[in-house]
Amino acid sequence: MSNSVQYANAAGESSLQTQLERGVLTVSIGEQDASFLWDVTVIHDLFALFQKADADEAVRVLILQGRGPDFCAGLVAHDDSKDSLEERVRIKNAMELVQQLRTRTLKLLSKPIIALVRGRCSGVGIRLIEGCDIVYAQDDSQFFFSQGELGLLALIPGGADGPSCMSARARSYYSICGEYFDGNAAEQSGLVTFSSSAQEIVGAVQSLAKTLSEKDPLAVKFTKDTLAHVGSMSWDASVNFTAAKFAELKALQAVSEGSATRASAVASFLAGKSKPGLGR
Amino acid sequence: MLKIDDHIPGARIIGLDRAEKRNAIGVELTLALEQILLETRFREDIRILVFHGIGGHFSAGMDMKDFFDSSTRSPELIQKARKATEHWRCHLLRKMPQFIVTAVEGYCLGGALPILQCSDVVIASKNAQFGLPEINFGFVPGGQIVKAVELMATKRALSYMALSGRLIDANQANSWGLVTRVVDEEPMTPALELVNKYLELKSPVLTQ
């Protein structure tokens, strides 16, 4: 276990528990054996953690999961006992952070993020996993756009502001009706990548994390850049973007000790010794 | 590089014919693809196109020996081939007035995926495998390929394929939108059945 960066705070009060092993940083949110409602602190802790992990070369992949039975049981959006201007400002700022996490921070993070969802995953949790690269959900997970969060998250009826990875129809339906939907429905809607059984989900996520941790980190970063940007480009712009990225990647790999995989993989493939392109 | 079959009136069957390289798209193949699409585009007598691979695979993607670090081709030829590639996969294929059916068996990787995205129907055999393996070599999938996959598959599918480099099977490709139908038999038989049904349609204008 590497301790290159301290992720949980020193007083042990962080809402996050972390473990870094062989390049895989597993982040567990909340408390063990208890349903856990997120609050503003969780969001700030997550934001700070992602910034640290992005700069930490020891981290190749992140796994995000709930520490207890749920991924995200809900958000303590408003505390009547603290109904002050300062509290409302604090919550609104936290919501801004959530927006930034889902639309920008996670997509531009140089490391891939896998979310592992079990139990309940409410609106704010859905917003977070939207920004993750790959999401595994247990078949019996329960996703829902919590009514209690609607005011703050401002989901527009019709779903225009819902998760962009979901199909438009599913987004509209679930954001309006507030129904729970399980892992299989989440997979069908595009919200998650795979729905998996309770017996298989941890193994599948760990296997994928290992696969991702073995990739050239520069190639991973540039692939994420490509995924984040080319969708909104014209075809010609995507050609130019690719040419520039290829040149930059090649230059950086030439001087990076950690990026020997490219030359060796190509040479091995051309010599007929291995077939990394086919996953071997 | 290409096997062109015009034996069915109204149809043109384009076979990628480089079986010894799993139909990897090299310099000659990409130049031939651009040429045949230019020649076919304004042929009013051709109403439907069928793409397929000869030798058990659709295509293993772009040929690394020709296009990447270890290429022994002249810079001028590579530049010409790259220009042709961008022409057919970013523009020409998207402007073809014909109905396009693609039959896939074996590998369908990387640079071959824009052909799928421009197809109206994709029929895949159970043994077909799809993927973006570039990252396994320390490369990045081209923006044009990523854009093509994003237009036909879910965002989750694209991220998984591009970041993991893992191949997916035909049923997963069907579920993610890359494929229309998965068949037990070799896919050219149902593809040709579809060609005949299409050619029986009374009004070609309405189907374009």
Side-chain angles (χ1 to χ4, degrees), chain A residues 129 132-133 190-191 207-208 211-212 215 230 233 235-236 242 246 249 253 262 270 275-278 280, chain B residues 22 65 69-70 91 94 107 109 133 136-140 143-144 146-147 150 156 158-159 163-164 166:
Chain A
I129 65 170
C132 296
D133 299 297
L191 178 61
S207 166
L208 178 63
T211 296
L212 295 175
K215 307 298 181 195
V230 298
M233 291 180 186
W235 289 100
D236 288 335
T242 296
F246 276 18
L249 175 63
Q253 285 177 325
R262 174 174 174 151
L270 294 179
K275 295 177 179 175
L278 306 178
R280 284 171 276 173
Chain B
R22 297 188 179 93
K65 265 189 178 169
D69 302 28
S70 308
H91 299 287
R94 290 156 216 292
Y107 296 131
L109 310 178
N136 298 330
F137 294 99
F139 287 124
V140 176
Q144 315 87 314
V146 167
K147 194 171 168 65
E150 187 169 353
R156 293 297 187 200
L158 172 60
S159 294
L163 288 169
S164 75
R166 290 177 173 175

Side-chain angles (χ1 to χ4, degrees), chain B residues 104-175:
Chain B
V104 180
E105 56 183 339
Y107 296 131
C108 181
L109 310 178
L113 292 170
I115 299 177
L116 264 59
Q117 188 256 317
C118 292
S119 301
D120 297 287
V121 174
V122 177
I123 298 173
S125 66
K126 272 189 171 173
N127 78 345
Q129 290 184 287
F130 304 79
L132 293 168
E134 290 85 346
I135 202 162
N136 298 330
F137 294 99
F139 287 124
V140 176
Q144 315 87 314
I145 299 167
V146 167
K147 194 171 168 65
V149 175
E150 187 169 353
L151 287 171
M152 65 176 159
T154 64
K155 288 187 179 183
R156 293 297 187 200
L158 172 60
S159 294
Y160 178 79
M161 291 165 71
L163 288 169
S164 75
R166 290 177 173 175
L167 305 190
I168 59 167
D169 65 20
N171 286 322
Q172 187 67 68
N174 188 22
S175 153

Side-chain angles (χ1 to χ4, degrees), chain B residues 67-98:
Chain B
F67 284 106
F68 298 112
D69 302 28
S70 308
S71 179
T72 54
R73 302 305 191 97
S74 72
E76 294 78 17
L77 186 58
I78 293 175
Q79 190 177 25
K80 183 181 175 187
R82 284 200 172 128
K83 197 173 172 185
T85 306
E86 303 318 339
H87 187 206
W88 68 254
R89 73 180 173 192
C90 293
H91 299 287
L92 262 182
L93 263 179
R94 290 156 216 292
K95 294 175 182 168
M96 299 301 285
Q98 290 88 2

Side-chain angles (χ1 to χ4, degrees), chain B:
Chain B
M1 291 295 126
L2 293 178
K3 186 177 177 185
I4 308 302
D5 180 349
D6 290 339
H7 83 277
I8 302 173
R12 169 161 281 179
I13 300 165
I14 301 173
L16 309 182
D17 191 9
R18 202 181 174 217
E20 75 281 6
K21 296 288 184 183
R22 297 188 179 93
N23 298 321
I25 302 170
V27 166
E28 285 75 20
L29 180 49
T30 203
L31 291 172
L33 270 168
E34 181 193 37
Q35 197 55 42
I36 196 67
L37 292 174
L38 282 170
E39 197 269 321
T40 306
R41 187 177 165 198
F42 294 115
R43 287 278 299 268
E44 292 176 357
D45 59 322
I46 298 175
R47 292 171 50 201
I48 184 165
L49 298 177
V50 178
F51 284 98
H52 70 113
I54 292 168
H57 296 282
F58 182 70
S59 172
M62 302 308 290
D63 188 334
M64 291 184 55
K65 265 189 178 169
D66 275 5
F67 284 106
F68 298 112
D69 302 28
S70 308
S71 179
T72 54
R73 302 305 191 97
S74 72
E76 294 78 17
L77 186 58
I78 293 175
Q79 190 177 25
K80 183 181 175 187
R82 284 200 172 128
K83 197 173 172 185
T85 306
E86 303 318 339
H87 187 206
W88 68 254
R89 73 180 173 192
C90 293
H91 299 287
L92 262 182
L93 263 179
R94 290 156 216 292
K95 294 175 182 168
M96 299 301 285
Q98 290 88 2
F99 196 85
I100 301 177
V101 178
T102 296
V104 180
E105 56 183 339
Y107 296 131
C108 181
L109 310 178
L113 292 170
I115 299 177
L116 264 59
Q117 188 256 317
C118 292
S119 301
D120 297 287
V121 174
V122 177
I123 298 173
S125 66
K126 272 189 171 173
N127 78 345
Q129 290 184 287
F130 304 79
L132 293 168
E134 290 85 346
I135 202 162
N136 298 330
F137 294 99
F139 287 124
V140 176
Q144 315 87 314
I145 299 167
V146 167
K147 194 171 168 65
V149 175
E150 187 169 353
L151 287 171
M152 65 176 159
T154 64
K155 288 187 179 183
R156 293 297 187 200
L158 172 60
S159 294
Y160 178 79
M161 291 165 71
L163 288 169
S164 75
R166 290 177 173 175
L167 305 190
I168 59 167
D169 65 20
N171 286 322
Q172 187 67 68
N174 188 22
S175 153
W176 278 346
L178 284 81
V179 164
T180 315
R181 191 176 154 208
V182 180
V183 294
D184 289 328
E185 72 251 60
E186 56 84 27
M188 270 305 274
T189 302
L192 292 177
E193 287 171 5
L194 196 61
V195 167
N196 290 325
K197 284 179 184 169
Y198 183 86
L199 291 173
E200 288 168 6
L201 295 174
K202 300 289 184 194
S203 175
V205 174
L206 286 178
T207 59
Q208 287 176 3

